[in-house]
Amino acid sequence: MGRRGGPRRGVGFLVLGLALPALLCTAGCTGPDGSAPTPTPATGSTTAQPASDAGLCTRVVTYWARRTLADDTYGDYQSMGLSHGQYQILMDVVAAGRSERQRQGADAARRLMDRQARVACTARYRHGTPSGGPWT
Protein backbone atom coordinates (compact mmCIF):
# COMPACT_ATOMS: atom_id res chain seq x y z
CA MET A 1 0.00 0.00 0.00
CA GLY A 2 1.09 3.55 -0.62
CA ARG A 3 1.43 6.19 2.06
CA ARG A 4 -2.20 7.18 2.05
CA GLY A 5 -3.64 3.69 1.77
CA GLY A 6 -3.93 3.65 -2.03
CA PRO A 7 -2.03 1.40 -4.40
CA ARG A 8 1.65 2.05 -4.90
CA ARG A 9 2.84 4.19 -7.76
CA GLY A 10 3.19 2.13 -10.94
CA VAL A 11 0.48 -0.40 -10.09
CA GLY A 12 -1.81 1.11 -12.75
CA PHE A 13 0.84 0.34 -15.38
CA LEU A 14 1.12 -3.24 -14.10
CA VAL A 15 -2.64 -3.70 -14.30
CA LEU A 16 -2.67 -2.31 -17.85
CA GLY A 17 0.24 -4.58 -18.76
CA LEU A 18 -1.71 -7.61 -17.56
CA ALA A 19 -5.02 -6.50 -19.06
CA LEU A 20 -3.73 -5.60 -22.55
CA PRO A 21 -2.92 -9.19 -23.63
CA ALA A 22 -6.33 -10.34 -22.42
CA LEU A 23 -7.97 -7.49 -24.30
CA LEU A 24 -6.05 -8.34 -27.47
CA CYS A 25 -7.13 -11.95 -27.21
CA THR A 26 -10.82 -11.14 -26.72
CA ALA A 27 -10.69 -8.71 -29.62
CA GLY A 28 -9.05 -11.01 -32.12
CA CYS A 29 -8.58 -14.60 -30.95
CA THR A 30 -8.96 -17.19 -33.63
CA GLY A 31 -8.41 -20.91 -33.81
CA PRO A 32 -5.47 -22.50 -35.63
CA ASP A 33 -7.46 -22.54 -38.86
CA GLY A 34 -8.37 -18.84 -38.58
CA SER A 35 -11.91 -19.48 -37.36
CA ALA A 36 -13.40 -18.05 -34.18
CA PRO A 37 -13.58 -20.34 -31.12
CA THR A 38 -16.87 -22.18 -30.98
CA PRO A 39 -19.07 -22.36 -27.87
CA THR A 40 -19.59 -25.80 -26.41
CA PRO A 41 -23.28 -26.77 -26.29
CA ALA A 42 -23.34 -27.91 -22.65
CA THR A 43 -21.69 -24.93 -20.98
CA GLY A 44 -21.90 -22.14 -23.54
CA SER A 45 -18.20 -21.40 -23.04
CA THR A 46 -15.50 -21.52 -25.70
CA THR A 47 -13.18 -24.47 -26.14
CA ALA A 48 -9.67 -23.68 -25.00
CA GLN A 49 -6.92 -24.81 -27.32
CA PRO A 50 -3.26 -24.01 -26.74
CA ALA A 51 -2.11 -21.41 -29.22
CA SER A 52 0.70 -22.37 -31.54
CA ASP A 53 3.69 -20.09 -32.08
CA ALA A 54 2.48 -19.48 -35.63
CA GLY A 55 -1.03 -18.68 -34.38
CA LEU A 56 0.27 -16.20 -31.82
CA CYS A 57 2.52 -14.60 -34.43
CA THR A 58 -0.42 -14.30 -36.82
CA ARG A 59 -2.63 -12.68 -34.19
CA VAL A 60 -0.07 -10.13 -33.04
CA VAL A 61 1.13 -9.26 -36.55
CA THR A 62 -2.46 -8.91 -37.80
CA TYR A 63 -3.34 -6.68 -34.84
CA TRP A 64 -0.39 -4.34 -35.40
CA ALA A 65 -0.81 -4.40 -39.19
CA ARG A 66 -4.35 -3.06 -38.86
CA ARG A 67 -3.22 -0.41 -36.38
CA THR A 68 -0.28 0.57 -38.60
CA LEU A 69 -2.46 0.78 -41.70
CA ALA A 70 -4.72 3.16 -39.77
CA ASP A 71 -1.66 5.21 -38.64
CA ASP A 72 -2.48 4.31 -35.03
CA THR A 73 0.84 2.97 -33.72
CA TYR A 74 3.66 4.03 -31.47
CA GLY A 75 7.13 2.94 -30.51
CA ASP A 76 9.33 0.25 -31.94
CA TYR A 77 8.93 -3.48 -32.42
CA GLN A 78 9.89 -4.28 -28.83
CA SER A 79 7.21 -1.98 -27.42
CA MET A 80 4.74 -3.81 -29.68
CA GLY A 81 5.86 -7.12 -28.18
CA LEU A 82 7.27 -8.36 -31.49
CA SER A 83 10.52 -10.09 -32.26
CA HIS A 84 12.68 -8.65 -35.02
CA GLY A 85 11.52 -11.40 -37.39
CA GLN A 86 7.86 -10.73 -36.59
CA TYR A 87 8.45 -7.03 -37.17
CA GLN A 88 9.91 -7.82 -40.61
CA ILE A 89 6.72 -9.77 -41.39
CA LEU A 90 4.67 -6.81 -40.14
CA MET A 91 6.48 -4.34 -42.39
CA ASP A 92 6.04 -6.57 -45.46
CA VAL A 93 2.36 -7.14 -44.67
CA VAL A 94 1.69 -3.42 -44.14
CA ALA A 95 3.48 -2.46 -47.36
CA ALA A 96 1.28 -4.88 -49.30
CA GLY A 97 -1.79 -3.64 -47.41
CA ARG A 98 -1.09 -0.01 -48.30
CA SER A 99 -0.80 -0.87 -52.00
CA GLU A 100 -3.97 -2.95 -51.87
CA ARG A 101 -5.85 -0.17 -50.05
CA GLN A 102 -5.06 2.23 -52.90
CA ARG A 103 -6.27 -0.26 -55.51
CA GLN A 104 -9.18 -2.05 -53.83
CA GLY A 105 -10.02 -0.25 -50.58
CA ALA A 106 -9.54 -0.82 -46.84
CA ASP A 107 -11.53 -4.08 -46.56
CA ALA A 108 -9.49 -5.74 -49.32
CA ALA A 109 -6.29 -4.48 -47.66
CA ARG A 110 -7.27 -6.02 -44.30
CA ARG A 111 -8.11 -9.36 -45.93
CA LEU A 112 -4.78 -9.37 -47.79
CA MET A 113 -2.84 -8.50 -44.63
CA ASP A 114 -4.61 -11.27 -42.70
CA ARG A 115 -3.71 -13.83 -45.37
CA GLN A 116 -0.12 -12.69 -45.73
CA ALA A 117 0.45 -12.61 -41.95
CA ARG A 118 -0.92 -16.16 -41.62
CA VAL A 119 1.25 -17.47 -44.48
CA ALA A 120 4.43 -15.69 -43.31
CA CYS A 121 4.00 -16.69 -39.65
CA THR A 122 3.26 -20.29 -40.59
CA ALA A 123 6.44 -20.36 -42.68
CA ARG A 124 8.47 -18.73 -39.91
CA TYR A 125 7.42 -21.27 -37.27
CA ARG A 126 7.07 -24.40 -39.43
CA HIS A 127 10.17 -25.96 -37.79
CA GLY A 128 9.48 -24.62 -34.30
CA THR A 129 10.67 -21.43 -32.71
CA PRO A 130 13.61 -19.73 -34.49
CA SER A 131 16.76 -20.25 -32.43
CA GLY A 132 18.58 -16.95 -32.80
CA GLY A 133 17.55 -15.60 -29.38
CA PRO A 134 14.34 -14.17 -27.97
CA TRP A 135 14.18 -11.12 -30.27
CA THR A 136 14.88 -12.82 -33.61
Side-chain angles (χ1 to χ4, degrees):
M1 294 297 254
R3 272 190 185 180
R4 297 190 177 133
R8 290 184 179 204
R9 187 181 295 175
V11 170
F13 178 75
L14 175 63
V15 171
L16 178 63
L18 296 174
L20 186 59
L23 178 64
L24 290 175
C25 186
T26 57
C29 285
T30 59
D33 61 349
S35 64
T38 55
T40 57
T43 63
S45 64
T46 58
T47 55
Q49 296 179 352
S52 67
D53 290 336
L56 290 172
C57 171
T58 301
R59 272 202 312 252
V60 73
V61 167
T62 300
Y63 172 81
W64 285 112
R66 289 173 180 234
R67 297 256 328 246
T68 303
L69 190 67
D71 293 324
D72 182 27
T73 59
Y74 65 94
D76 62 1
Y77 70 94
Q78 290 176 334
S79 66
M80 294 177 182
L82 300 173
S83 69
H84 179 70
Q86 291 167 338
Y87 186 71
Q88 290 300 110
I89 293 171
L90 172 67
M91 292 294 96
D92 293 342
V93 165
V94 170
R98 285 184 176 138
S99 295
E100 185 71 8
R101 181 176 61 185
Q102 288 178 339
R103 287 190 308 269
Q104 300 291 325
D107 288 338
R110 284 189 289 274
R111 287 191 302 271
L112 175 67
M113 289 189 311
D114 291 351
R115 279 192 314 272
Q116 286 192 346
R118 187 172 36 256
V119 168
C121 286
T122 299
R124 178 171 172 74
Y125 291 98
R126 74 178 163 265
H127 299 298
T129 304
S131 60
W135 294 108
T136 61

Short mmCIF file of all heavy atoms in Angstrom, two decimals, residues 6-43:
data_model
loop_
_atom_site.label_atom_id
_atom_site.label_comp_id
_atom_site.label_asym_id
_atom_site.label_seq_id
_atom_site.Cartn_x
_atom_site.Cartn_y
_atom_site.Cartn_z
N GLY A 6 -3.62 4.02 -0.65
CA GLY A 6 -3.93 3.65 -2.03
C GLY A 6 -2.87 2.72 -2.58
O GLY A 6 -1.88 2.42 -1.92
N PRO A 7 -3.05 2.27 -3.81
CA PRO A 7 -2.03 1.40 -4.40
C PRO A 7 -0.74 2.16 -4.64
O PRO A 7 -0.74 3.37 -4.80
CB PRO A 7 -2.67 0.95 -5.71
CG PRO A 7 -3.75 1.92 -6.00
CD PRO A 7 -4.18 2.49 -4.69
N ARG A 8 0.35 1.44 -4.66
CA ARG A 8 1.65 2.05 -4.90
C ARG A 8 1.73 2.62 -6.31
O ARG A 8 1.06 2.16 -7.21
CB ARG A 8 2.76 1.03 -4.72
CG ARG A 8 2.92 0.63 -3.30
CD ARG A 8 4.07 -0.30 -3.18
NE ARG A 8 4.21 -0.65 -1.77
CZ ARG A 8 5.32 -1.07 -1.23
NH1 ARG A 8 6.39 -1.20 -1.97
NH2 ARG A 8 5.37 -1.37 0.04
N ARG A 9 2.60 3.59 -6.45
CA ARG A 9 2.84 4.19 -7.76
C ARG A 9 3.32 3.10 -8.73
O ARG A 9 4.13 2.28 -8.39
CB ARG A 9 3.91 5.26 -7.63
CG ARG A 9 4.11 6.04 -8.89
CD ARG A 9 5.18 7.05 -8.73
NE ARG A 9 4.77 8.05 -7.75
CZ ARG A 9 5.54 9.03 -7.31
NH1 ARG A 9 6.77 9.12 -7.74
NH2 ARG A 9 5.11 9.89 -6.44
N GLY A 10 2.78 3.10 -9.93
CA GLY A 10 3.19 2.13 -10.94
C GLY A 10 2.27 0.93 -11.04
O GLY A 10 2.35 0.16 -11.97
N VAL A 11 1.37 0.75 -10.06
CA VAL A 11 0.48 -0.40 -10.09
C VAL A 11 -0.49 -0.29 -11.27
O VAL A 11 -0.83 -1.28 -11.90
CB VAL A 11 -0.28 -0.55 -8.75
CG1 VAL A 11 -1.37 -1.59 -8.86
CG2 VAL A 11 0.69 -0.90 -7.66
N GLY A 12 -0.92 0.93 -11.61
CA GLY A 12 -1.81 1.11 -12.75
C GLY A 12 -1.17 0.59 -14.03
O GLY A 12 -1.83 -0.04 -14.86
N PHE A 13 0.13 0.83 -14.20
CA PHE A 13 0.84 0.34 -15.38
C PHE A 13 0.86 -1.18 -15.37
O PHE A 13 0.67 -1.82 -16.40
CB PHE A 13 2.26 0.90 -15.40
CG PHE A 13 3.07 0.39 -16.56
CD1 PHE A 13 2.84 0.86 -17.84
CD2 PHE A 13 4.04 -0.57 -16.36
CE1 PHE A 13 3.58 0.39 -18.91
CE2 PHE A 13 4.78 -1.05 -17.43
CZ PHE A 13 4.55 -0.56 -18.70
N LEU A 14 1.09 -1.79 -14.21
CA LEU A 14 1.12 -3.24 -14.10
C LEU A 14 -0.24 -3.82 -14.47
O LEU A 14 -0.31 -4.78 -15.23
CB LEU A 14 1.51 -3.66 -12.68
CG LEU A 14 1.47 -5.16 -12.40
CD1 LEU A 14 2.49 -5.87 -13.28
CD2 LEU A 14 1.74 -5.44 -10.94
N VAL A 15 -1.31 -3.22 -13.99
CA VAL A 15 -2.64 -3.70 -14.30
C VAL A 15 -2.89 -3.60 -15.80
O VAL A 15 -3.41 -4.51 -16.43
CB VAL A 15 -3.71 -2.93 -13.50
CG1 VAL A 15 -5.10 -3.26 -13.97
CG2 VAL A 15 -3.56 -3.24 -12.02
N LEU A 16 -2.51 -2.47 -16.41
CA LEU A 16 -2.67 -2.31 -17.85
C LEU A 16 -1.84 -3.34 -18.59
O LEU A 16 -2.30 -3.93 -19.56
CB LEU A 16 -2.26 -0.90 -18.28
CG LEU A 16 -2.32 -0.62 -19.78
CD1 LEU A 16 -3.76 -0.74 -20.26
CD2 LEU A 16 -1.77 0.74 -20.09
N GLY A 17 -0.63 -3.59 -18.12
CA GLY A 17 0.24 -4.58 -18.76
C GLY A 17 -0.34 -5.99 -18.71
O GLY A 17 -0.13 -6.79 -19.61
N LEU A 18 -1.08 -6.29 -17.66
CA LEU A 18 -1.71 -7.61 -17.56
C LEU A 18 -3.02 -7.65 -18.32
O LEU A 18 -3.41 -8.69 -18.83
CB LEU A 18 -1.96 -7.96 -16.09
CG LEU A 18 -0.70 -8.12 -15.24
CD1 LEU A 18 -1.08 -8.31 -13.78
CD2 LEU A 18 0.15 -9.27 -15.73
N ALA A 19 -3.72 -6.52 -18.40
CA ALA A 19 -5.02 -6.50 -19.06
C ALA A 19 -4.91 -6.42 -20.58
O ALA A 19 -5.76 -6.95 -21.29
CB ALA A 19 -5.85 -5.32 -18.55
N LEU A 20 -3.86 -5.79 -21.10
CA LEU A 20 -3.73 -5.60 -22.55
C LEU A 20 -3.70 -6.92 -23.31
O LEU A 20 -4.43 -7.08 -24.29
CB LEU A 20 -2.51 -4.75 -22.87
CG LEU A 20 -2.34 -4.37 -24.34
CD1 LEU A 20 -3.55 -3.59 -24.83
CD2 LEU A 20 -1.09 -3.56 -24.53
N PRO A 21 -2.88 -7.93 -22.89
CA PRO A 21 -2.92 -9.19 -23.63
C PRO A 21 -4.30 -9.85 -23.61
O PRO A 21 -4.73 -10.41 -24.61
CB PRO A 21 -1.88 -10.06 -22.91
CG PRO A 21 -0.97 -9.09 -22.25
CD PRO A 21 -1.83 -7.90 -21.89
N ALA A 22 -4.99 -9.77 -22.48
CA ALA A 22 -6.33 -10.34 -22.42
C ALA A 22 -7.27 -9.59 -23.35
O ALA A 22 -8.11 -10.20 -24.03
CB ALA A 22 -6.85 -10.29 -20.98
N LEU A 23 -7.14 -8.28 -23.41
CA LEU A 23 -7.97 -7.49 -24.30
C LEU A 23 -7.68 -7.82 -25.76
O LEU A 23 -8.60 -7.97 -26.56
CB LEU A 23 -7.72 -5.99 -24.06
CG LEU A 23 -8.48 -5.02 -24.94
CD1 LEU A 23 -9.97 -5.15 -24.68
CD2 LEU A 23 -8.02 -3.61 -24.68
N LEU A 24 -6.41 -7.98 -26.11
CA LEU A 24 -6.05 -8.34 -27.47
C LEU A 24 -6.65 -9.69 -27.85
O LEU A 24 -7.14 -9.88 -28.95
CB LEU A 24 -4.54 -8.39 -27.64
CG LEU A 24 -3.81 -7.06 -27.60
CD1 LEU A 24 -2.30 -7.29 -27.66
CD2 LEU A 24 -4.25 -6.17 -28.73
N CYS A 25 -6.62 -10.62 -26.92
CA CYS A 25 -7.13 -11.95 -27.21
C CYS A 25 -8.64 -11.91 -27.40
O CYS A 25 -9.16 -12.52 -28.32
CB CYS A 25 -6.77 -12.92 -26.09
SG CYS A 25 -7.23 -14.61 -26.47
N THR A 26 -9.37 -11.18 -26.57
CA THR A 26 -10.82 -11.14 -26.72
C THR A 26 -11.21 -10.38 -27.98
O THR A 26 -12.25 -10.65 -28.55
CB THR A 26 -11.50 -10.48 -25.51
OG1 THR A 26 -10.98 -9.16 -25.34
CG2 THR A 26 -11.29 -11.30 -24.25
N ALA A 27 -10.36 -9.47 -28.43
CA ALA A 27 -10.69 -8.71 -29.62
C ALA A 27 -10.37 -9.46 -30.90
O ALA A 27 -10.97 -9.21 -31.93
CB ALA A 27 -9.94 -7.37 -29.62
N GLY A 28 -9.44 -10.40 -30.87
CA GLY A 28 -9.05 -11.01 -32.12
C GLY A 28 -8.60 -12.45 -32.05
O GLY A 28 -7.87 -12.89 -32.90
N CYS A 29 -9.02 -13.21 -31.05
CA CYS A 29 -8.58 -14.60 -30.95
C CYS A 29 -9.24 -15.43 -32.05
O CYS A 29 -10.41 -15.30 -32.32
CB CYS A 29 -8.95 -15.19 -29.59
SG CYS A 29 -7.90 -14.61 -28.28
N THR A 30 -8.44 -16.27 -32.64
CA THR A 30 -8.96 -17.19 -33.63
C THR A 30 -8.32 -18.54 -33.39
O THR A 30 -7.29 -18.65 -32.74
CB THR A 30 -8.62 -16.75 -35.07
OG1 THR A 30 -7.21 -16.66 -35.20
CG2 THR A 30 -9.27 -15.43 -35.40
N GLY A 31 -8.95 -19.56 -33.91
CA GLY A 31 -8.41 -20.91 -33.81
C GLY A 31 -7.26 -21.09 -34.78
O GLY A 31 -6.93 -20.20 -35.55
N PRO A 32 -6.62 -22.27 -34.76
CA PRO A 32 -5.47 -22.50 -35.63
C PRO A 32 -5.81 -22.41 -37.11
O PRO A 32 -4.96 -22.11 -37.93
CB PRO A 32 -4.99 -23.90 -35.26
CG PRO A 32 -5.97 -24.46 -34.31
CD PRO A 32 -6.91 -23.38 -33.90
N ASP A 33 -7.07 -22.63 -37.46
CA ASP A 33 -7.46 -22.54 -38.86
C ASP A 33 -8.00 -21.16 -39.23
O ASP A 33 -8.50 -20.96 -40.32
CB ASP A 33 -8.51 -23.60 -39.18
CG ASP A 33 -9.78 -23.43 -38.36
OD1 ASP A 33 -9.78 -22.63 -37.40
OD2 ASP A 33 -10.77 -24.10 -38.68
N GLY A 34 -7.91 -20.19 -38.30
CA GLY A 34 -8.37 -18.84 -38.58
C GLY A 34 -9.82 -18.60 -38.20
O GLY A 34 -10.32 -17.50 -38.32
N SER A 35 -10.51 -19.65 -37.74
CA SER A 35 -11.91 -19.48 -37.36
C SER A 35 -12.03 -19.05 -35.91
O SER A 35 -11.11 -19.24 -35.12
CB SER A 35 -12.68 -20.78 -37.57
OG SER A 35 -12.17 -21.77 -36.70
N ALA A 36 -13.16 -18.48 -35.56
CA ALA A 36 -13.40 -18.05 -34.18
C ALA A 36 -13.64 -19.28 -33.31
O ALA A 36 -14.14 -20.31 -33.79
CB ALA A 36 -14.60 -17.12 -34.12
N PRO A 37 -13.29 -19.22 -32.01
CA PRO A 37 -13.58 -20.34 -31.12
C PRO A 37 -15.09 -20.59 -31.08
O PRO A 37 -15.88 -19.65 -31.15
CB PRO A 37 -13.07 -19.88 -29.76
CG PRO A 37 -12.16 -18.73 -30.03
CD PRO A 37 -12.59 -18.15 -31.34
N THR A 38 -15.45 -21.84 -30.98
CA THR A 38 -16.87 -22.18 -30.98
C THR A 38 -17.34 -22.49 -29.57
O THR A 38 -16.63 -23.15 -28.80
CB THR A 38 -17.14 -23.39 -31.88
OG1 THR A 38 -16.30 -24.47 -31.44
CG2 THR A 38 -16.83 -23.08 -33.32
N PRO A 39 -18.55 -22.04 -29.20
CA PRO A 39 -19.07 -22.36 -27.87
C PRO A 39 -19.39 -23.84 -27.78
O PRO A 39 -19.82 -24.46 -28.75
CB PRO A 39 -20.34 -21.53 -27.75
CG PRO A 39 -20.37 -20.62 -28.93
CD PRO A 39 -19.40 -21.13 -29.93
N THR A 40 -19.19 -24.42 -26.61
CA THR A 40 -19.59 -25.80 -26.41
C THR A 40 -21.06 -25.82 -26.04
O THR A 40 -21.53 -24.97 -25.28
CB THR A 40 -18.75 -26.46 -25.29
OG1 THR A 40 -18.89 -25.69 -24.11
CG2 THR A 40 -17.29 -26.53 -25.68
N PRO A 41 -21.84 -26.78 -26.52
CA PRO A 41 -23.28 -26.77 -26.29
C PRO A 41 -23.65 -26.89 -24.82
O PRO A 41 -24.59 -26.25 -24.36
CB PRO A 41 -23.77 -28.00 -27.06
CG PRO A 41 -22.66 -28.43 -27.93
CD PRO A 41 -21.42 -27.84 -27.39
N ALA A 42 -22.93 -27.67 -24.03
CA ALA A 42 -23.34 -27.91 -22.65
C ALA A 42 -23.13 -26.70 -21.76
O ALA A 42 -23.97 -26.37 -20.94
CB ALA A 42 -22.58 -29.11 -22.08
N THR A 43 -22.00 -26.01 -21.91
CA THR A 43 -21.69 -24.93 -20.98
C THR A 43 -21.84 -23.54 -21.57
O THR A 43 -21.92 -22.57 -20.85
CB THR A 43 -20.24 -25.07 -20.47
OG1 THR A 43 -19.37 -24.93 -21.59
CG2 THR A 43 -20.02 -26.40 -19.79
#
